Amino acid sequence: MTRNGMNETDGVLAVPGTANTGGGGSVRSYLLHRAKPHLPPWLTVGGVGLAGGGASLLWSDSAAAGVGLTLSSVALTAVTWWAGRSTSAQRRLHSAITVAAGSSWFTAASLAGPLTGPLPDLYLMGGATLALSWNVRLLMRTPDSAGETGDKGLLAKVGLARAQIGAGRVEPNRVTAPVALAPGEQTNDDVSKALPHIASALDVPRNAVRYQPDPDSERRGELVIVPEDMLRYVVEWEGPSLPGGSIADPLVIGRYDDGSPLYLWLPGDPKEKRNSTHVLIAGGTGSGKGDAALNLQTEILSRKDVIMWFSDPKSFQDFRPLLPGYDWAVEGGAPTEGMVEAIKAAIPARTRWLGAHSYRQWLPEAAQQQTDPAHSCSKDGTACGCPGMPFLVAWMEEAANTLRYMDDSAFTGIAQEARSAGISLVISLQRPSYDQMSTSTRASLPSVIALGCAPDDEGFCLPDEVLAAGAHPGAWRNRRPGYCYVVSPGIPEDRYASPGRTQHFPDRVVPMLEVLADWAARNGARPDPITAKAAESVVGNAYTDRKAGTQQPDGEDDMDQSPLVDPEDVDIDPEAELPEAEQGDDAPIFGQDTGRKPSPEEARALFAQALEEFERNGQMVVGPKDFQDWCDRHRLSRPWVSARLTEAYREGRLKETGKTGRWRIVPTLTPADA
């Protein structure tokens, strides 16, 4: 096809490097494309020659013009030298020599004529030499040993002169370039310290620039630049990523800044050489910690081989729609203290079962009925048929409250021992400082979801090497809810310093959460006999009656009957006169002030009733402070209660909890040595 007598593929209409039926157009376009960068020096030489010839017609006989042109030549050279102070020394000198030579020839040609004496030869030889010198400079424009290109290089500008940047790997919204530092002069720490300056030079946020050191070299690594912040777009939760899958499959809790999914694993995988993990969720007020927790919890509850024990001192404010999906949910204080004791008891029971069935760690096969002789506790080598053991997630929300109630080492034993038992501990709190959580507990939490925080708190949330690589949660504070860094087994280490963002949970997804919780209650895993027995042995009906507070009425009949009337008392007339008091009816009743100090025998009976009442209420861990009001009512002292607690421990009614002054009630339906 032709247009104005010219083929469509002629000249610049053809795209360089593309196929062309005519052939010639493509070649011409390619050559022109390659020649364009080298044309300006030659055009400048030609322009100076034409200007010198024209100027000679005006000023060949003018002495004043000679003076003016000479001064102009000197001034132009000086300005060129001054303007080049921010460039490399080589470029500055080259530019000044070029301007001096060109302006000198122009002055001579203007006064004497361009064809006078040696001027034509100087023009042809000198002009061609200068033009070629700039062409050569353009061809050689690659990083040299000083880390510079045609002008002062990026690394030289940020104080890393002599470092070299190799060819970058370009991905969608991500550029990765290898960096080689000057041997013996620079280290990877120098690059980490220069990251804010690199971000400034590139005019991008600090979090957009990261550096991943080479673990086998102190002078090599990769510089990662993410030019566009894709996390600024809020993504709402649309449902779990893998309903009905295994807890061993990756849990999707958001996305990275390059758009890829943000994964987390809880159980270990021997094939992938990935260990089981505990998780710390840390972030200041308003940082999106609640949404991060909902992302992880909805993923957990949607899996078929896991149960969750959940503690929340805030009365399940953010998580009430999910209550039916938990196997056991308690509020803070003493109920959480009992849950911690139950977890401690479950650890040896579960590891014993796993070991008896030849599991060195929890695997998805452990959650199934044991029909494989290779995983059998039968002594004759046949399949034992034992029920499976689901994975257990013990979640401590707003854990700072629990740590204050118990002590800073409340979770230390669990964190150090639970992973081998197929238990993951999740601790969520605002500031995981060492005055709130013991260093032993913090060191036993390999995974962390670090949301926005105060700059001074970054070191409590992330490892030093991740901060050195460019992670900076303190830059967000609470201004970017959901922004986070995730450090966990299974995630490539070069991703640790890459920011991500969790999905958002608006109010309109509450019905979806309720559907998920209902699915988990009907189709999710059930507690195995081993774990259930261990929990019952230490907290009794606090575990056996755990669903009483989360069950909803099943039908209209339940709604018609008053919840305040015991079924055994439905025939009692509420208007009938009470019978007269008989002798002996003034015996002490728990919680009732008798008006006098009880005798030693009565006091011991009251104390025994108090322990029974605590057990009925599901409070299985007690101490003198729990009897404070009781002591006031019965005119008994706190030291007296402490002595009775010690007696009850000796009698087997109580057991130690590992914390001074706190005792665990032994359920009355289990042996004292359970």
mmCIF file of all heavy atoms in Angstrom, residues 348-359 365-368 370 377 386-389 528 530:
data_model
loop_
_atom_site.group_PDB
_atom_site.id
_atom_site.type_symbol
_atom_site.label_atom_id
_atom_site.label_comp_id
_atom_site.label_asym_id
_atom_site.label_seq_id
_atom_site.Cartn_x
_atom_site.Cartn_y
_atom_site.Cartn_z
ATOM 1 N N PRO A 348 2.839 -32.500 75.863
ATOM 2 C CA PRO A 348 3.417 -33.849 75.993
ATOM 3 C C PRO A 348 2.478 -34.947 75.524
ATOM 4 O O PRO A 348 2.929 -35.974 75.006
ATOM 5 C CB PRO A 348 3.717 -33.952 77.491
ATOM 6 C CG PRO A 348 2.841 -32.942 78.141
ATOM 7 C CD PRO A 348 2.698 -31.839 77.168
ATOM 8 N N ALA A 349 1.168 -34.746 75.708
ATOM 9 C CA ALA A 349 0.218 -35.767 75.256
ATOM 10 C C ALA A 349 0.245 -35.910 73.736
ATOM 11 O O ALA A 349 0.233 -37.031 73.196
ATOM 12 C CB ALA A 349 -1.192 -35.412 75.737
ATOM 13 N N ARG A 350 0.309 -34.799 73.032
ATOM 14 C CA ARG A 350 0.315 -34.846 71.574
ATOM 15 C C ARG A 350 1.651 -35.373 71.043
ATOM 16 O O ARG A 350 1.679 -36.149 70.090
ATOM 17 C CB ARG A 350 0.032 -33.441 71.016
ATOM 18 C CG ARG A 350 -1.409 -32.990 71.210
ATOM 19 C CD ARG A 350 -1.600 -31.521 70.818
ATOM 20 N NE ARG A 350 -1.360 -31.303 69.400
ATOM 21 C CZ ARG A 350 -2.294 -31.329 68.453
ATOM 22 N NH1 ARG A 350 -3.556 -31.571 68.779
ATOM 23 N NH2 ARG A 350 -1.983 -31.108 67.188
ATOM 24 N N THR A 351 2.769 -34.925 71.611
ATOM 25 C CA THR A 351 4.062 -35.439 71.139
ATOM 26 C C THR A 351 4.178 -36.933 71.396
ATOM 27 O O THR A 351 4.772 -37.659 70.594
ATOM 28 C CB THR A 351 5.219 -34.691 71.829
ATOM 29 O OG1 THR A 351 5.049 -34.753 73.256
ATOM 30 C CG2 THR A 351 5.256 -33.244 71.400
ATOM 31 N N ARG A 352 3.616 -37.401 72.505
ATOM 32 C CA ARG A 352 3.634 -38.842 72.790
ATOM 33 C C ARG A 352 2.860 -39.611 71.720
ATOM 34 O O ARG A 352 3.304 -40.654 71.235
ATOM 35 C CB ARG A 352 3.045 -39.094 74.180
ATOM 36 C CG ARG A 352 3.252 -40.505 74.711
ATOM 37 C CD ARG A 352 2.650 -40.659 76.100
ATOM 38 N NE ARG A 352 3.209 -39.676 77.035
ATOM 39 C CZ ARG A 352 2.497 -38.714 77.613
ATOM 40 N NH1 ARG A 352 1.202 -38.580 77.322
ATOM 41 N NH2 ARG A 352 3.055 -37.881 78.450
ATOM 42 N N TRP A 353 1.705 -39.078 71.327
ATOM 43 C CA TRP A 353 0.887 -39.749 70.301
ATOM 44 C C TRP A 353 1.598 -39.709 68.954
ATOM 45 O O TRP A 353 1.651 -40.710 68.243
ATOM 46 C CB TRP A 353 -0.472 -39.066 70.207
ATOM 47 C CG TRP A 353 -1.429 -39.735 69.270
ATOM 48 C CD1 TRP A 353 -2.347 -40.692 69.583
ATOM 49 C CD2 TRP A 353 -1.559 -39.504 67.857
ATOM 50 N NE1 TRP A 353 -3.053 -41.070 68.467
ATOM 51 C CE2 TRP A 353 -2.582 -40.360 67.388
ATOM 52 C CE3 TRP A 353 -0.928 -38.672 66.957
ATOM 53 C CZ2 TRP A 353 -2.979 -40.385 66.056
ATOM 54 C CZ3 TRP A 353 -1.311 -38.704 65.624
ATOM 55 C CH2 TRP A 353 -2.321 -39.548 65.187
ATOM 56 N N LEU A 354 2.146 -38.554 68.592
ATOM 57 C CA LEU A 354 2.838 -38.445 67.310
ATOM 58 C C LEU A 354 4.032 -39.388 67.256
ATOM 59 O O LEU A 354 4.275 -40.056 66.238
ATOM 60 C CB LEU A 354 3.292 -37.000 67.083
ATOM 61 C CG LEU A 354 2.185 -35.969 66.805
ATOM 62 C CD1 LEU A 354 2.741 -34.548 66.862
ATOM 63 C CD2 LEU A 354 1.541 -36.220 65.444
ATOM 64 N N GLY A 355 4.796 -39.454 68.337
ATOM 65 C CA GLY A 355 5.937 -40.352 68.366
ATOM 66 C C GLY A 355 5.518 -41.811 68.269
ATOM 67 O O GLY A 355 6.176 -42.603 67.568
ATOM 68 N N ALA A 356 4.433 -42.173 68.945
ATOM 69 C CA ALA A 356 3.957 -43.556 68.895
ATOM 70 C C ALA A 356 3.496 -43.942 67.504
ATOM 71 O O ALA A 356 3.505 -45.132 67.152
ATOM 72 C CB ALA A 356 2.822 -43.744 69.899
ATOM 73 N N HIS A 357 3.100 -42.965 66.701
ATOM 74 C CA HIS A 357 2.644 -43.230 65.333
ATOM 75 C C HIS A 357 3.707 -42.860 64.297
ATOM 76 O O HIS A 357 3.387 -42.667 63.115
ATOM 77 C CB HIS A 357 1.345 -42.471 65.057
ATOM 78 C CG HIS A 357 0.169 -43.028 65.800
ATOM 79 N ND1 HIS A 357 -0.100 -42.702 67.103
ATOM 80 C CD2 HIS A 357 -0.796 -43.915 65.427
ATOM 81 C CE1 HIS A 357 -1.188 -43.336 67.514
ATOM 82 N NE2 HIS A 357 -1.638 -44.082 66.511
ATOM 83 N N SER A 358 4.959 -42.737 64.736
ATOM 84 C CA SER A 358 6.117 -42.560 63.838
ATOM 85 C C SER A 358 6.096 -41.237 63.085
ATOM 86 O O SER A 358 6.584 -41.151 61.955
ATOM 87 C CB SER A 358 6.204 -43.733 62.842
ATOM 88 O OG SER A 358 6.288 -44.959 63.528
ATOM 89 N N TYR A 359 5.546 -40.202 63.703
ATOM 90 C CA TYR A 359 5.613 -38.859 63.117
ATOM 91 C C TYR A 359 6.650 -38.044 63.878
ATOM 92 O O TYR A 359 6.499 -37.811 65.083
ATOM 93 C CB TYR A 359 4.258 -38.143 63.205
ATOM 94 C CG TYR A 359 3.168 -38.742 62.357
ATOM 95 C CD1 TYR A 359 2.158 -39.506 62.938
ATOM 96 C CD2 TYR A 359 3.133 -38.538 60.982
ATOM 97 C CE1 TYR A 359 1.140 -40.048 62.168
ATOM 98 C CE2 TYR A 359 2.118 -39.081 60.208
ATOM 99 C CZ TYR A 359 1.132 -39.832 60.804
ATOM 100 O OH TYR A 359 0.123 -40.377 60.044
ATOM 101 N N GLU A 365 -1.140 -36.136 57.134
ATOM 102 C CA GLU A 365 -1.579 -37.528 57.320
ATOM 103 C C GLU A 365 -1.933 -37.812 58.773
ATOM 104 O O GLU A 365 -2.731 -38.706 59.065
ATOM 105 C CB GLU A 365 -0.489 -38.482 56.859
ATOM 106 C CG GLU A 365 -0.187 -38.437 55.370
ATOM 107 C CD GLU A 365 0.717 -37.267 54.990
ATOM 108 O OE1 GLU A 365 1.288 -36.634 55.906
ATOM 109 O OE2 GLU A 365 0.837 -36.977 53.784
ATOM 110 N N ALA A 366 -1.339 -37.045 59.699
ATOM 111 C CA ALA A 366 -1.617 -37.276 61.114
ATOM 112 C C ALA A 366 -3.049 -36.913 61.472
ATOM 113 O O ALA A 366 -3.576 -37.395 62.493
ATOM 114 C CB ALA A 366 -0.645 -36.475 61.974
ATOM 115 N N ALA A 367 -3.703 -36.081 60.668
ATOM 116 C CA ALA A 367 -5.081 -35.683 60.953
ATOM 117 C C ALA A 367 -6.098 -36.710 60.481
ATOM 118 O O ALA A 367 -7.283 -36.593 60.795
ATOM 119 C CB ALA A 367 -5.372 -34.328 60.301
ATOM 120 N N GLN A 368 -5.644 -37.710 59.734
ATOM 121 C CA GLN A 368 -6.553 -38.734 59.221
ATOM 122 C C GLN A 368 -6.544 -39.954 60.142
ATOM 123 O O GLN A 368 -5.617 -40.152 60.939
ATOM 124 C CB GLN A 368 -6.132 -39.149 57.807
ATOM 125 C CG GLN A 368 -5.960 -37.996 56.837
ATOM 126 C CD GLN A 368 -7.231 -37.200 56.637
ATOM 127 O OE1 GLN A 368 -8.325 -37.769 56.598
ATOM 128 N NE2 GLN A 368 -7.107 -35.884 56.503
ATOM 129 N N GLN A 370 -5.684 -43.426 61.348
ATOM 130 C CA GLN A 370 -4.410 -44.091 61.099
ATOM 131 C C GLN A 370 -4.630 -45.510 60.567
ATOM 132 O O GLN A 370 -4.754 -46.471 61.329
ATOM 133 C CB GLN A 370 -3.579 -44.105 62.373
ATOM 134 C CG GLN A 370 -3.291 -42.724 62.928
ATOM 135 C CD GLN A 370 -2.621 -41.818 61.910
ATOM 136 O OE1 GLN A 370 -1.483 -42.072 61.532
ATOM 137 N NE2 GLN A 370 -3.311 -40.772 61.470
ATOM 138 N N CYS A 377 0.419 -47.419 66.108
ATOM 139 C CA CYS A 377 0.907 -47.678 67.459
ATOM 140 C C CYS A 377 0.706 -49.134 67.849
ATOM 141 O O CYS A 377 0.978 -49.514 68.991
ATOM 142 C CB CYS A 377 0.214 -46.756 68.460
ATOM 143 S SG CYS A 377 -1.587 -46.976 68.540
ATOM 144 N N CYS A 386 -6.420 -45.663 64.893
ATOM 145 C CA CYS A 386 -6.633 -44.565 65.837
ATOM 146 C C CYS A 386 -7.197 -43.338 65.124
ATOM 147 O O CYS A 386 -6.848 -43.067 63.974
ATOM 148 C CB CYS A 386 -5.315 -44.190 66.512
ATOM 149 S SG CYS A 386 -4.675 -45.429 67.647
ATOM 150 N N PRO A 387 -8.053 -42.557 65.794
ATOM 151 C CA PRO A 387 -8.513 -41.291 65.196
ATOM 152 C C PRO A 387 -7.336 -40.358 64.966
ATOM 153 O O PRO A 387 -6.341 -40.390 65.689
ATOM 154 C CB PRO A 387 -9.476 -40.736 66.251
ATOM 155 C CG PRO A 387 -9.837 -41.893 67.112
ATOM 156 C CD PRO A 387 -8.658 -42.817 67.106
ATOM 157 N N GLY A 388 -7.462 -39.517 63.956
ATOM 158 C CA GLY A 388 -6.378 -38.601 63.643
ATOM 159 C C GLY A 388 -6.286 -37.449 64.622
ATOM 160 O O GLY A 388 -7.185 -37.229 65.455
ATOM 161 N N MET A 389 -5.192 -36.708 64.513
ATOM 162 C CA MET A 389 -4.940 -35.564 65.389
ATOM 163 C C MET A 389 -4.808 -34.306 64.531
ATOM 164 O O MET A 389 -3.812 -34.128 63.826
ATOM 165 C CB MET A 389 -3.657 -35.782 66.195
ATOM 166 C CG MET A 389 -3.249 -34.588 67.056
ATOM 167 S SD MET A 389 -1.751 -34.922 68.008
ATOM 168 C CE MET A 389 -2.409 -36.052 69.237
ATOM 169 N N ASP A 528 -9.210 -34.082 68.704
ATOM 170 C CA ASP A 528 -8.898 -35.498 68.870
ATOM 171 C C ASP A 528 -9.003 -35.887 70.333
ATOM 172 O O ASP A 528 -8.918 -35.040 71.235
ATOM 173 C CB ASP A 528 -7.490 -35.766 68.353
ATOM 174 C CG ASP A 528 -6.458 -34.930 69.076
ATOM 175 O OD1 ASP A 528 -6.337 -33.730 68.741
ATOM 176 O OD2 ASP A 528 -5.791 -35.450 69.981
ATOM 177 N N ILE A 530 -6.957 -37.311 72.333
ATOM 178 C CA ILE A 530 -5.757 -37.059 73.125
ATOM 179 C C ILE A 530 -5.733 -35.613 73.615
ATOM 180 O O ILE A 530 -5.535 -35.337 74.807
ATOM 181 C CB ILE A 530 -4.495 -37.355 72.288
ATOM 182 C CG1 ILE A 530 -4.511 -38.810 71.802
ATOM 183 C CG2 ILE A 530 -3.242 -37.056 73.092
ATOM 184 C CD1 ILE A 530 -4.514 -39.824 72.912
#
